[in-house]
Amino acid sequence: MKTPISMLLLLSRACMILFFGILLVSCEKDASQNNDVAYLGGEIVNPKDDFVVLTKSDSKLVDTLKLDKRNRFIYKFDSLTSGLYLFKLHAADGFEHQMVLLEPNDSIMLRLNTMEFDESLVFTGHGAKKNNYLIELFLESEIDDKKVLGFSQLPPKEFETKVDSIKESKLKKLKDFSVKNTVSKRFVDLVEANINYDYYLSKEVYPFVNYSTNERKIIESLPEDFYAFRKDIDYNHSSIKDYFPYYSFLRHHFENLALTKHFKESNDSIFNRKCLNYNLTRLDYIDSLVKSDNIKNSLLMNTAIEFISDNKNVKDYDTFLKSFNSKCSNKDQKEYLTNTINALKGLKPGNTLPNIKVFDINGNEKRLGQLMNHKPTVIYFWRQSYLRHFQESHEKVKELEKKYPEINFVAINAYENHVPAWQEHLKLYKYDKTNEFLFENPTEGKQSLAIYPINKVILVNKRGQIINPHTNMFSIHFENQLLEALNP
């Protein structure tokens, strides 16, 4: 008689639990003999690759962890530096990542399903409770963010009452957890930072998401103590600089500071991301308030990329670049921004595209200028780790090709240079490969065409001259641009 499938699943799960149990006992025994030892391991359900990337929260690579034939991994820290670590792997919608707090003597096992990354993630072992708490807090915050968006349509005082209540509820939950469990000061500080900076972020974004009036009137209507929390901000909290609530807060905080000052010095009433003076003010605030080079350079670079993506007026670029270079201490970032701005200057309407080398699906080398086929051409970009964008952009092109057969649509994988993996990826999703290409040198290609963000599209005429160097196929104006390309 055959064993029922349900029984097989139960036996499989029991074996997994037994395996983890034996492994945890062994790890905990080893860890107890050396205060600096810790373990991190786990099982990945439905893996898309056979590895997990582990980094420290300061973005330093720890190791690439190979999955065994049962999709499990284990890593031993012989001399652990306590703090947040990030594990990253290929999931259903591209690469996903999550944080884990590791401290000496931890022996933590994780289990997750790539189809439901955050929702399925669970930790077991010594050190698991604090990390399960952090995951629950993360998921709870995602729900609260939607609530806060709704609260943001309320008057300031009512909005404050709502977000204060959320904050106090989370702090009480932390206090109760700390009473029932033995927790470190590092853990408590981390959770408090999460709660506080999430709360601060809610108040910083309020003027930007309240739709009752323009930003100037909203800012001028705020109670005097609305931003009283700003006296408690730590602008140099390096140990959590990559923690989403903290970094997201800093970005919006400097936007808010700069906009408030911009309104005082101009007659503008509406938030304009493209404005040069506003963005120069953002750079000034970051430079004056942040002392940590890592945090400062990251915020400066983020501001720079946003500015050159939003502002198509190349006349503003040199002024911005001069200010950026005087404040940024990262040589590579300064060089990257300089090269990107020079590339953008060369991508002006009327210019021809740089003659970059690409490969077609059969490995034949071509030049970018050869891909136009004497038709107006849409060039769009993708990368394998952004699976959702890859699928959505290709589905959109299938729709547009039916409506505009006179237009040529060219797709370029802008981030990978491994031809077999690229070919296999396209084969898996069964899209037409006729107009699929791969940069011979991704770094040169991304730089020369200033590919940021990934959903950027370049529109050229049948002579290969640029019509629009930075458009978006999902814009409501895009089809009008296609019609103009067909009828110049």
mmCIF file of all heavy atoms in Angstrom, residues 426-462:
data_model
loop_
_atom_site.group_PDB
_atom_site.id
_atom_site.type_symbol
_atom_site.label_atom_id
_atom_site.label_comp_id
_atom_site.label_asym_id
_atom_site.label_seq_id
_atom_site.Cartn_x
_atom_site.Cartn_y
_atom_site.Cartn_z
ATOM 1 N N LEU A 426 15.654 34.143 -20.718
ATOM 2 C CA LEU A 426 14.707 34.470 -21.784
ATOM 3 C C LEU A 426 13.939 33.226 -22.242
ATOM 4 O O LEU A 426 12.736 33.285 -22.520
ATOM 5 C CB LEU A 426 15.441 35.098 -22.968
ATOM 6 C CG LEU A 426 15.994 36.507 -22.732
ATOM 7 C CD1 LEU A 426 16.858 36.935 -23.903
ATOM 8 C CD2 LEU A 426 14.864 37.505 -22.517
ATOM 9 N N LYS A 427 14.637 32.115 -22.315
ATOM 10 C CA LYS A 427 13.995 30.852 -22.710
ATOM 11 C C LYS A 427 12.905 30.477 -21.707
ATOM 12 O O LYS A 427 11.815 30.008 -22.083
ATOM 13 C CB LYS A 427 15.046 29.751 -22.799
ATOM 14 C CG LYS A 427 14.501 28.391 -23.214
ATOM 15 C CD LYS A 427 15.627 27.349 -23.256
ATOM 16 C CE LYS A 427 15.088 25.972 -23.616
ATOM 17 N NZ LYS A 427 16.180 24.941 -23.635
ATOM 18 N N LEU A 428 13.179 30.677 -20.414
ATOM 19 C CA LEU A 428 12.251 30.321 -19.356
ATOM 20 C C LEU A 428 10.935 31.087 -19.481
ATOM 21 O O LEU A 428 9.852 30.522 -19.279
ATOM 22 C CB LEU A 428 12.896 30.593 -17.990
ATOM 23 C CG LEU A 428 12.048 30.319 -16.745
ATOM 24 C CD1 LEU A 428 11.724 28.832 -16.643
ATOM 25 C CD2 LEU A 428 12.786 30.797 -15.497
ATOM 26 N N TYR A 429 11.026 32.388 -19.845
ATOM 27 C CA TYR A 429 9.823 33.222 -19.890
ATOM 28 C C TYR A 429 9.208 33.335 -21.286
ATOM 29 O O TYR A 429 8.198 34.004 -21.473
ATOM 30 C CB TYR A 429 10.127 34.608 -19.293
ATOM 31 C CG TYR A 429 10.306 34.523 -17.803
ATOM 32 C CD1 TYR A 429 11.569 34.368 -17.241
ATOM 33 C CD2 TYR A 429 9.207 34.530 -16.953
ATOM 34 C CE1 TYR A 429 11.734 34.252 -15.870
ATOM 35 C CE2 TYR A 429 9.359 34.424 -15.587
ATOM 36 C CZ TYR A 429 10.626 34.284 -15.048
ATOM 37 O OH TYR A 429 10.771 34.161 -13.688
ATOM 38 N N LYS A 430 9.830 32.728 -22.264
ATOM 39 C CA LYS A 430 9.238 32.536 -23.597
ATOM 40 C C LYS A 430 8.831 33.828 -24.297
ATOM 41 O O LYS A 430 7.835 33.865 -25.025
ATOM 42 C CB LYS A 430 8.026 31.592 -23.491
ATOM 43 C CG LYS A 430 8.382 30.212 -22.949
ATOM 44 C CD LYS A 430 7.168 29.323 -22.816
ATOM 45 C CE LYS A 430 7.554 27.961 -22.243
ATOM 46 N NZ LYS A 430 6.389 27.073 -22.043
ATOM 47 N N TYR A 431 9.613 34.891 -24.097
ATOM 48 C CA TYR A 431 9.372 36.118 -24.861
ATOM 49 C C TYR A 431 10.121 36.037 -26.188
ATOM 50 O O TYR A 431 11.120 35.312 -26.316
ATOM 51 C CB TYR A 431 9.831 37.349 -24.067
ATOM 52 C CG TYR A 431 8.974 37.641 -22.851
ATOM 53 C CD1 TYR A 431 9.510 37.594 -21.573
ATOM 54 C CD2 TYR A 431 7.630 37.952 -22.994
ATOM 55 C CE1 TYR A 431 8.728 37.853 -20.456
ATOM 56 C CE2 TYR A 431 6.830 38.211 -21.884
ATOM 57 C CZ TYR A 431 7.385 38.164 -20.621
ATOM 58 O OH TYR A 431 6.601 38.412 -19.532
ATOM 59 N N ASP A 432 9.643 36.796 -27.184
ATOM 60 C CA ASP A 432 10.308 36.831 -28.487
ATOM 61 C C ASP A 432 11.734 37.344 -28.298
ATOM 62 O O ASP A 432 11.967 38.391 -27.701
ATOM 63 C CB ASP A 432 9.526 37.767 -29.412
ATOM 64 C CG ASP A 432 10.126 37.821 -30.805
ATOM 65 O OD1 ASP A 432 10.994 36.980 -31.116
ATOM 66 O OD2 ASP A 432 9.752 38.717 -31.589
ATOM 67 N N LYS A 433 12.695 36.588 -28.817
ATOM 68 C CA LYS A 433 14.105 36.915 -28.580
ATOM 69 C C LYS A 433 14.732 37.729 -29.714
ATOM 70 O O LYS A 433 15.921 38.047 -29.673
ATOM 71 C CB LYS A 433 14.907 35.623 -28.368
ATOM 72 C CG LYS A 433 14.349 34.738 -27.255
ATOM 73 C CD LYS A 433 15.049 33.409 -27.195
ATOM 74 C CE LYS A 433 14.377 32.460 -26.217
ATOM 75 N NZ LYS A 433 12.997 32.109 -26.587
ATOM 76 N N THR A 434 13.943 38.050 -30.740
ATOM 77 C CA THR A 434 14.487 38.729 -31.923
ATOM 78 C C THR A 434 15.170 40.037 -31.567
ATOM 79 O O THR A 434 16.258 40.346 -32.070
ATOM 80 C CB THR A 434 13.366 39.008 -32.951
ATOM 81 O OG1 THR A 434 12.687 37.794 -33.232
ATOM 82 C CG2 THR A 434 13.942 39.597 -34.226
ATOM 83 N N ASN A 435 14.553 40.801 -30.696
ATOM 84 C CA ASN A 435 15.086 42.114 -30.340
ATOM 85 C C ASN A 435 15.564 42.162 -28.892
ATOM 86 O O ASN A 435 15.371 43.157 -28.185
ATOM 87 C CB ASN A 435 14.042 43.210 -30.576
ATOM 88 C CG ASN A 435 14.062 43.696 -32.015
ATOM 89 O OD1 ASN A 435 15.023 43.453 -32.754
ATOM 90 N ND2 ASN A 435 13.009 44.384 -32.425
ATOM 91 N N GLU A 436 16.167 41.079 -28.435
ATOM 92 C CA GLU A 436 16.750 41.026 -27.097
ATOM 93 C C GLU A 436 18.277 41.101 -27.226
ATOM 94 O O GLU A 436 18.873 40.367 -28.008
ATOM 95 C CB GLU A 436 16.370 39.733 -26.382
ATOM 96 C CG GLU A 436 14.907 39.628 -26.013
ATOM 97 C CD GLU A 436 14.538 40.439 -24.774
ATOM 98 O OE1 GLU A 436 15.467 40.949 -24.100
ATOM 99 O OE2 GLU A 436 13.338 40.568 -24.502
ATOM 100 N N PHE A 437 18.877 41.972 -26.421
ATOM 101 C CA PHE A 437 20.327 42.181 -26.516
ATOM 102 C C PHE A 437 20.940 42.278 -25.120
ATOM 103 O O PHE A 437 20.253 42.495 -24.119
ATOM 104 C CB PHE A 437 20.625 43.442 -27.334
ATOM 105 C CG PHE A 437 20.122 43.360 -28.748
ATOM 106 C CD1 PHE A 437 18.852 43.823 -29.068
ATOM 107 C CD2 PHE A 437 20.900 42.788 -29.751
ATOM 108 C CE1 PHE A 437 18.366 43.732 -30.376
ATOM 109 C CE2 PHE A 437 20.428 42.691 -31.053
ATOM 110 C CZ PHE A 437 19.159 43.156 -31.362
ATOM 111 N N LEU A 438 22.254 42.129 -25.104
ATOM 112 C CA LEU A 438 23.032 42.143 -23.863
ATOM 113 C C LEU A 438 24.265 43.015 -24.083
ATOM 114 O O LEU A 438 24.944 42.884 -25.102
ATOM 115 C CB LEU A 438 23.462 40.711 -23.525
ATOM 116 C CG LEU A 438 24.225 40.460 -22.228
ATOM 117 C CD1 LEU A 438 23.257 40.498 -21.050
ATOM 118 C CD2 LEU A 438 24.908 39.091 -22.274
ATOM 119 N N PHE A 439 24.540 43.928 -23.149
ATOM 120 C CA PHE A 439 25.752 44.743 -23.272
ATOM 121 C C PHE A 439 26.993 43.856 -23.222
ATOM 122 O O PHE A 439 27.080 42.944 -22.394
ATOM 123 C CB PHE A 439 25.855 45.758 -22.134
ATOM 124 C CG PHE A 439 24.941 46.942 -22.264
ATOM 125 C CD1 PHE A 439 24.185 47.375 -21.184
ATOM 126 C CD2 PHE A 439 24.848 47.637 -23.460
ATOM 127 C CE1 PHE A 439 23.357 48.472 -21.282
ATOM 128 C CE2 PHE A 439 24.011 48.737 -23.567
ATOM 129 C CZ PHE A 439 23.263 49.155 -22.483
ATOM 130 N N GLU A 440 27.953 44.138 -24.074
ATOM 131 C CA GLU A 440 29.245 43.461 -23.960
ATOM 132 C C GLU A 440 29.929 43.879 -22.663
ATOM 133 O O GLU A 440 30.533 43.073 -21.961
ATOM 134 C CB GLU A 440 30.144 43.810 -25.152
ATOM 135 C CG GLU A 440 31.503 43.115 -25.096
ATOM 136 C CD GLU A 440 32.425 43.554 -26.218
ATOM 137 O OE1 GLU A 440 32.896 44.712 -26.170
ATOM 138 O OE2 GLU A 440 32.667 42.742 -27.116
ATOM 139 N N ASN A 441 29.814 45.169 -22.334
ATOM 140 C CA ASN A 441 30.386 45.706 -21.096
ATOM 141 C C ASN A 441 29.279 46.453 -20.341
ATOM 142 O O ASN A 441 28.990 47.614 -20.646
ATOM 143 C CB ASN A 441 31.545 46.653 -21.421
ATOM 144 C CG ASN A 441 32.256 47.157 -20.180
ATOM 145 O OD1 ASN A 441 31.648 47.302 -19.112
ATOM 146 N ND2 ASN A 441 33.537 47.430 -20.291
ATOM 147 N N PRO A 442 28.597 45.782 -19.379
ATOM 148 C CA PRO A 442 27.480 46.423 -18.680
ATOM 149 C C PRO A 442 27.834 47.745 -18.017
ATOM 150 O O PRO A 442 27.046 48.690 -18.045
ATOM 151 C CB PRO A 442 27.068 45.372 -17.638
ATOM 152 C CG PRO A 442 27.532 44.082 -18.199
ATOM 153 C CD PRO A 442 28.813 44.397 -18.922
ATOM 154 N N THR A 443 29.023 47.819 -17.418
ATOM 155 C CA THR A 443 29.418 49.055 -16.739
ATOM 156 C C THR A 443 29.490 50.212 -17.727
ATOM 157 O O THR A 443 28.963 51.309 -17.472
ATOM 158 C CB THR A 443 30.782 48.879 -16.044
ATOM 159 O OG1 THR A 443 30.697 47.802 -15.108
ATOM 160 C CG2 THR A 443 31.195 50.158 -15.321
ATOM 161 N N GLU A 444 30.127 49.971 -18.876
ATOM 162 C CA GLU A 444 30.230 51.012 -19.900
ATOM 163 C C GLU A 444 28.849 51.370 -20.445
ATOM 164 O O GLU A 444 28.534 52.555 -20.635
ATOM 165 C CB GLU A 444 31.118 50.522 -21.050
ATOM 166 C CG GLU A 444 31.211 51.524 -22.206
ATOM 167 C CD GLU A 444 31.831 50.912 -23.460
ATOM 168 O OE1 GLU A 444 32.013 49.680 -23.505
ATOM 169 O OE2 GLU A 444 32.084 51.671 -24.408
ATOM 170 N N GLY A 445 28.017 50.350 -20.683
ATOM 171 C CA GLY A 445 26.691 50.597 -21.231
ATOM 172 C C GLY A 445 25.822 51.420 -20.306
ATOM 173 O O GLY A 445 25.188 52.400 -20.723
ATOM 174 N N LYS A 446 25.788 51.030 -19.017
ATOM 175 C CA LYS A 446 24.975 51.766 -18.042
ATOM 176 C C LYS A 446 25.454 53.209 -17.908
ATOM 177 O O LYS A 446 24.648 54.134 -17.799
ATOM 178 C CB LYS A 446 25.044 51.068 -16.681
ATOM 179 C CG LYS A 446 24.262 49.768 -16.603
ATOM 180 C CD LYS A 446 24.310 49.180 -15.207
ATOM 181 C CE LYS A 446 25.708 48.739 -14.824
ATOM 182 N NZ LYS A 446 25.773 48.122 -13.479
ATOM 183 N N GLN A 447 26.767 53.380 -17.920
ATOM 184 C CA GLN A 447 27.329 54.715 -17.763
ATOM 185 C C GLN A 447 27.051 55.579 -18.984
ATOM 186 O O GLN A 447 26.592 56.720 -18.862
ATOM 187 C CB GLN A 447 28.836 54.600 -17.553
ATOM 188 C CG GLN A 447 29.502 55.903 -17.129
ATOM 189 C CD GLN A 447 29.456 56.105 -15.632
ATOM 190 O OE1 GLN A 447 30.190 55.483 -14.904
ATOM 191 N NE2 GLN A 447 28.617 56.998 -15.167
ATOM 192 N N SER A 448 27.301 55.048 -20.174
ATOM 193 C CA SER A 448 27.151 55.824 -21.409
ATOM 194 C C SER A 448 25.705 56.220 -21.681
ATOM 195 O O SER A 448 25.438 57.283 -22.252
ATOM 196 C CB SER A 448 27.698 55.031 -22.601
ATOM 197 O OG SER A 448 29.067 54.761 -22.446
ATOM 198 N N LEU A 449 24.768 55.363 -21.275
ATOM 199 C CA LEU A 449 23.351 55.647 -21.511
ATOM 200 C C LEU A 449 22.645 56.160 -20.259
ATOM 201 O O LEU A 449 21.435 56.384 -20.283
ATOM 202 C CB LEU A 449 22.647 54.395 -22.031
ATOM 203 C CG LEU A 449 23.154 53.869 -23.390
ATOM 204 C CD1 LEU A 449 22.427 52.589 -23.764
ATOM 205 C CD2 LEU A 449 22.976 54.917 -24.483
ATOM 206 N N ALA A 450 23.421 56.352 -19.186
ATOM 207 C CA ALA A 450 22.890 56.905 -17.931
ATOM 208 C C ALA A 450 21.628 56.157 -17.509
ATOM 209 O O ALA A 450 20.569 56.744 -17.298
ATOM 210 C CB ALA A 450 22.616 58.402 -18.072
ATOM 211 N N ILE A 451 21.751 54.835 -17.380
ATOM 212 C CA ILE A 451 20.585 54.001 -17.089
ATOM 213 C C ILE A 451 20.292 54.014 -15.602
ATOM 214 O O ILE A 451 20.828 53.226 -14.822
ATOM 215 C CB ILE A 451 20.796 52.556 -17.586
ATOM 216 C CG1 ILE A 451 21.068 52.569 -19.089
ATOM 217 C CG2 ILE A 451 19.578 51.698 -17.277
ATOM 218 C CD1 ILE A 451 21.461 51.215 -19.644
ATOM 219 N N TYR A 452 19.465 54.914 -15.204
ATOM 220 C CA TYR A 452 18.931 54.974 -13.854
ATOM 221 C C TYR A 452 17.712 55.880 -13.893
ATOM 222 O O TYR A 452 17.803 56.982 -14.413
ATOM 223 C CB TYR A 452 19.942 55.522 -12.842
ATOM 224 C CG TYR A 452 19.396 55.490 -11.431
ATOM 225 C CD1 TYR A 452 19.600 54.378 -10.615
ATOM 226 C CD2 TYR A 452 18.627 56.531 -10.933
ATOM 227 C CE1 TYR A 452 19.060 54.327 -9.341
ATOM 228 C CE2 TYR A 452 18.083 56.486 -9.661
ATOM 229 C CZ TYR A 452 18.307 55.390 -8.874
ATOM 230 O OH TYR A 452 17.769 55.332 -7.609
ATOM 231 N N PRO A 453 16.572 55.449 -13.401
ATOM 232 C CA PRO A 453 16.289 54.116 -12.869
ATOM 233 C C PRO A 453 16.155 53.088 -13.992
ATOM 234 O O PRO A 453 16.211 53.443 -15.172
ATOM 235 C CB PRO A 453 14.967 54.322 -12.122
ATOM 236 C CG PRO A 453 14.298 55.417 -12.885
ATOM 237 C CD PRO A 453 15.399 56.341 -13.338
ATOM 238 N N ILE A 454 15.915 51.834 -13.615
ATOM 239 C CA ILE A 454 15.877 50.754 -14.589
ATOM 240 C C ILE A 454 14.703 50.896 -15.553
ATOM 241 O O ILE A 454 14.746 50.361 -16.667
ATOM 242 C CB ILE A 454 15.832 49.385 -13.872
ATOM 243 C CG1 ILE A 454 16.094 48.222 -14.846
ATOM 244 C CG2 ILE A 454 14.518 49.197 -13.127
ATOM 245 C CD1 ILE A 454 17.460 48.188 -15.431
ATOM 246 N N ASN A 455 13.636 51.609 -15.162
ATOM 247 C CA ASN A 455 12.485 51.748 -16.051
ATOM 248 C C ASN A 455 12.653 52.878 -17.073
ATOM 249 O O ASN A 455 11.727 53.198 -17.816
ATOM 250 C CB ASN A 455 11.193 51.952 -15.255
ATOM 251 C CG ASN A 455 11.204 53.213 -14.408
ATOM 252 O OD1 ASN A 455 12.157 53.977 -14.422
ATOM 253 N ND2 ASN A 455 10.144 53.419 -13.646
ATOM 254 N N LYS A 456 13.844 53.443 -17.124
ATOM 255 C CA LYS A 456 14.129 54.472 -18.126
ATOM 256 C C LYS A 456 14.016 53.894 -19.537
ATOM 257 O O LYS A 456 14.409 52.757 -19.797
ATOM 258 C CB LYS A 456 15.541 55.012 -17.901
ATOM 259 C CG LYS A 456 16.132 55.738 -19.108
ATOM 260 C CD LYS A 456 17.514 56.250 -18.823
ATOM 261 C CE LYS A 456 18.170 56.741 -20.100
ATOM 262 N NZ LYS A 456 19.215 57.725 -19.850
ATOM 263 N N VAL A 457 13.486 54.704 -20.464
ATOM 264 C CA VAL A 457 13.347 54.321 -21.871
ATOM 265 C C VAL A 457 13.942 55.427 -22.739
ATOM 266 O O VAL A 457 13.788 56.613 -22.435
ATOM 267 C CB VAL A 457 11.860 54.105 -22.229
ATOM 268 C CG1 VAL A 457 11.665 53.973 -23.736
ATOM 269 C CG2 VAL A 457 11.320 52.873 -21.528
ATOM 270 N N ILE A 458 14.641 55.029 -23.798
ATOM 271 C CA ILE A 458 15.177 55.996 -24.769
ATOM 272 C C ILE A 458 14.395 55.844 -26.072
ATOM 273 O O ILE A 458 14.229 54.730 -26.579
ATOM 274 C CB ILE A 458 16.680 55.756 -25.024
ATOM 275 C CG1 ILE A 458 17.479 55.932 -23.721
ATOM 276 C CG2 ILE A 458 17.199 56.717 -26.088
ATOM 277 C CD1 ILE A 458 18.956 55.603 -23.854
ATOM 278 N N LEU A 459 13.927 56.967 -26.591
ATOM 279 C CA LEU A 459 13.160 56.974 -27.842
ATOM 280 C C LEU A 459 13.980 57.680 -28.918
ATOM 281 O O LEU A 459 14.435 58.812 -28.712
ATOM 282 C CB LEU A 459 11.829 57.708 -27.629
ATOM 283 C CG LEU A 459 10.885 57.828 -28.814
ATOM 284 C CD1 LEU A 459 10.479 56.445 -29.345
ATOM 285 C CD2 LEU A 459 9.639 58.624 -28.426
ATOM 286 N N VAL A 460 14.213 56.992 -30.046
ATOM 287 C CA VAL A 460 15.007 57.573 -31.142
ATOM 288 C C VAL A 460 14.199 57.515 -32.437
ATOM 289 O O VAL A 460 13.276 56.697 -32.583
ATOM 290 C CB VAL A 460 16.350 56.826 -31.331
ATOM 291 C CG1 VAL A 460 17.204 56.922 -30.083
ATOM 292 C CG2 VAL A 460 16.130 55.372 -31.691
ATOM 293 N N ASN A 461 14.564 58.388 -33.411
ATOM 294 C CA ASN A 461 13.858 58.376 -34.693
ATOM 295 C C ASN A 461 14.493 57.360 -35.643
ATOM 296 O O ASN A 461 15.466 56.682 -35.295
ATOM 297 C CB ASN A 461 13.806 59.783 -35.305
ATOM 298 C CG ASN A 461 15.198 60.333 -35.635
ATOM 299 O OD1 ASN A 461 16.151 59.565 -35.845
ATOM 300 N ND2 ASN A 461 15.316 61.648 -35.684
ATOM 301 N N LYS A 462 13.951 57.266 -36.847
ATOM 302 C CA LYS A 462 14.421 56.235 -37.778
ATOM 303 C C LYS A 462 15.846 56.467 -38.254
ATOM 304 O O LYS A 462 16.483 55.568 -38.807
ATOM 305 C CB LYS A 462 13.470 56.143 -38.973
ATOM 306 C CG LYS A 462 13.355 57.409 -39.804
ATOM 307 C CD LYS A 462 12.324 57.228 -40.901
ATOM 308 C CE LYS A 462 12.175 58.482 -41.742
ATOM 309 N NZ LYS A 462 11.126 58.317 -42.791
#
